[in-house]
Every structure is written in C-alpha cells, then in structure tokens.
Amino acid sequence: MTNAVEFLSVSRLFGTVRAVDGVDLSIKAGSFFAMLGPSGSGKTTCLRLISGFERPTGGTIRIFGQDVGRVPPNLRNVNTVFQDYALFPHMNVRDNVAYGLMVKGVDRRTRHAKAEEMLALVKLDSYGDRKPAQLSGGQRQRVALARALVNEPQVLLLDEPLGALDLKLREAMQDELKALQQRLGITFVFVTHDQSEALSMADTVAVFNNGKIAQIGSPADVYARPRTRFVADFVGSSNVLDPAMTRALGGPEVTASLRPEALRLVPAAGATLCGTVTGLRYLGPSVRVTVQMPFGVLGVMVPAGSPCPEPGSSVCIDLAPDALHVMEDE
Ligand code: ATP
C-alpha cells in the first residue's frame, strides 16, 4: 500500500530542545492516523514538518514518495485545520471556504460553487452568508474543515481541531470526522492529547514522548499491549506492576501492565488474592475501585449496576490467565 507520509530519522531541534528526535514513521494513504502524547512531546512539530511550516534539522520527509525537503508549504498537497480554526472574521462563511481557491486564481463562480459543495459536505449548506462570529463553535470547526477540504488535499492535517468544543459536541464531531474521512478517502493526520479521541477515531495511533515515538500500532494494540510503562500510563489507566507485583499475581518477575477491566471481584471463598478497598471513582458506565493488596495497589473496574464494595471493606480479586502484559524496560 502507498505511504502518504514517511519520516526517515527526522529530527527538529530548537536550540538544545529536541522537539522531534529521530522519528521514523509511515502513514498509509487513506488512513486516519493519530499522533497522541502529552503537551510538549513533539506532535505539533511533526505536523508542521509535514505541512512544511517547519524544516527538519535532520532526516528525510516524503509525501507520496516525493522528498519534500525543498518543497515549500504552498506546493505540498497538504492542508491544515487549526485548533483555533483561524477563520477570517470579516469574510462570510462562503468566502472563507473559497479563500484557498481565490489565492489559486480560480474564478468567482467556480470557487463559490465549489465552496457551496464543501459546505454541503459538512452540513452547513444554508450558512454561506453568515460571518464566523454568527456561528457556534462546532459550526466554525466545520467551516474550517470545509475550507481545508476545498483545496482537495491529499493529506489533511488536524491540530487538536476539537479542543475548543464541549464534550457532547466533541463526540458528535468525532463521529462526523471519522465518517467524512472514510467517505473522502483522504489521509487524515490528527494531533491530540486526548487518548479516547485517538483510540476512537484512528486506524493507527503513534504515542509520542519527549520527541520520540514510544509506540505505534492499532488502537486495540496500543491499548491492550502497551510496550512501555509510559504508554501504559498515558493510554487508559492501566495498573503498572513492578516485577514483585507481577510475581505476586502469578506472572514472571518482570514489569507488566494489567488493565483494570481485566480484574474481577470474586467471593472470598477459595480466593487467594485479597485486599482492602481504599477508594471508589464513579466513571459513569463503570466504577474504578482502588484496592490495597499486600504487595501493592491495584485498580479494578466494576461495571456500574453490579454490586460495588464500600471503602474499607475486604475484597478478593481474580484475573484472567492472559491478563498480564509484559512490558519492555524504558
Ligand atoms: P502540545 O500538545 O502542547 O501542543 P506538542 O506535543 O504538540 O505539545 P510541540 O509543540 O511539538 O509539542 O513542542 C515540542 C517541544 O518543542 C516543546 O518542548 C516546545 O517547547 C518546543 N518547541 C516547539 N516549537 C518551538 C519553537 N518555535 N522554538 C523553541 N521551542 C519550540
């Protein structure tokens, strides 16, 4: 399969800061690729390297096979949707969307027709005459999307585009973005620090830490088989077990991760792993129960609606034989 974007040992240094530090990655054409990581881990810099707004200090970047080392941003078939949307406040929605075509010298009629087509795509058909200030956050987000898509980019870069939206709208837009990406078949590269957003939308997730990729894989892979302690901590809320804890839970003496939903509370009769409940956290569909075991603390996920123990009570736990996932040392 063709790669839309390739990084070969790409670095970007700012003085002594290694914002991007020897990154290798391939983004398949037509995929939805998420760059996930904490603030300052290098995600935005990677995106800017793809768009050409930033130049690498080392390494090679290819877009659809072409080395773009000397290609300026406007000659890359790539568009960016920014978190703050960067719409022109004095232009109406239609002109905002048509802007890229105007710059290219496309005549007014054609560009307006194309803009209307894009507005229909993002379900804003009747909003062309409004100014950005007369729209809701979610609608502005869609205008920004339409404005990027009108240029028919091969790669669409999205830098935390849902960051300004409330949770409900965010979730709705996540579904819309995913559906749109599948319909258009354009490669989406999405930057976020929200793990649920990355897991729910992307085909492939790259987890960034300190300018490097800590792990790259499918959402299910990254979630269930974190390679390092960092990934286990950042993606989901795994129990990270030191070698002695893994041993106490019946595994080999190595660092391992254990998803809280892989643990079950069981009756005391016949159980060997028992401890005391020290905390409860209601998460809506489930309750995260913190249990102090003789060998350390474990988080256990109990589905809401099933019996939940009180803080201070004794509980026993059980785990599936394959629940322990061995991790590499960092
Ligand atoms: P966030 O989620 O907060 O946007 P990020 O993962 O996108 O973070 P980057 O914006 O790529 O992180 O920044 C990576 C590192 O590079 C940070 O330490 C940042 O301070 C540094 N950095 C980024 N741009 C510059 C710049 N123009 N000059 C100096 N340092 C920079």
Side-chain angles (χ1 to χ4, degrees), residues 14 17-20 37-46 54 159-160 191 193:
F14 294 106
V17 178
R18 308 184 78 85
V20 176
S39 185
S41 58
K43 311 174 300 284
T44 299
T45 305
C46 274
E54 206 70 76
D159 193 359
E160 304 237 10
V191 161
H193 57 255

Side-chain angles (χ1 to χ4, degrees), residues 41 48 67 70 103 105 113 128 136 148 185 237 244 246 265 288-289 292 295:
S41 58
R48 291 172 59 79
D67 182 340
R70 291 175 187 280
V103 171
S136 73
S237 45
T246 314
L265 296 180
R288 188 180 162 96
V289 181
Q292 178 67 55
F295 48 84

Side-chain angles (χ1 to χ4, degrees), residues 91-319:
M91 283 186 193
N92 69 22
V93 163
R94 187 181 307 101
D95 288 336
N96 260 286
V97 174
Y99 183 77
L101 300 178
M102 188 185 75
V103 171
K104 284 185 194 162
V106 175
D107 70 88
R108 191 183 158 83
R109 252 177 83 109
T110 313
R111 66 175 192 257
H112 277 185
K114 195 81 191 156
E116 288 298 342
E117 201 184 300
M118 288 303 128
L119 284 171
L121 191 69
V122 296
K123 303 193 204 113
L124 286 177
D125 323 47
S126 52
Y127 289 75
D129 292 322
R130 291 211 199 175
K131 292 277 171 58
Q134 296 167 309
L135 301 177
S136 73
Q139 289 165 340
R140 267 179 239 160
Q141 204 282 334
R142 290 201 204 124
V143 175
L145 198 60
R147 191 177 59 169
L149 291 171
V150 84
N151 298 313
E152 299 179 2
Q154 284 178 297
V155 182
L156 188 69
L157 307 175
L158 303 112
D159 193 359
E160 304 237 10
L162 309 180
L165 308 180
D166 66 59
L167 183 66
K168 188 98 186 133
L169 194 52
R170 223 178 142 95
E171 286 178 351
M173 282 304 301
Q174 286 173 10
D175 293 343
E176 282 187 26
L177 267 184
K178 179 79 189 161
L180 194 64
Q181 189 269 336
Q182 285 174 338
R183 193 138 52 92
L184 298 173
I186 296 175
T187 311
F188 276 30
V189 184
F190 191 98
V191 161
T192 181
H193 57 255
D194 179 336
Q195 48 118 346
S196 68
E197 196 161 281
L199 296 181
S200 64
M201 286 198 290
D203 312 312
T204 308
V205 179
V207 185
F208 279 74
N209 184 23
N210 280 333
K212 292 182 192 302
I213 294 182
Q215 186 168 357
I216 194 160
S218 68
D221 220 35
V222 169
Y223 183 80
R225 286 175 287 281
R227 218 160 55 82
T228 61
R229 175 183 287 259
F230 172 81
V231 178
D233 273 339
F234 193 74
V235 183
S237 45
S238 225
N239 293 295
V240 176
L241 312 174
D242 63 31
M245 286 177 80
T246 314
R247 180 107 202 104
L249 286 164
E253 206 161 322
V254 293
T255 305
S257 72
L258 176 61
R259 290 287 169 201
E261 62 273 23
L263 287 166
R264 279 186 312 128
L265 296 180
V266 292
T272 53
L273 297 167
C274 300
T276 307
V277 174
T278 56
L280 298 176
R281 229 173 106 207
Y282 291 94
L283 302 170
S286 57
V287 182
R288 188 180 162 96
V289 181
T290 309
V291 183
Q292 178 67 55
M293 304 294 288
F295 48 84
V297 175
L298 288 177
V300 180
M301 212 61 95
V302 175
S306 51
C308 192
E310 295 288 320
S313 60
S314 299
V315 288
C316 298
I317 58 161
D318 193 14
L319 65 159

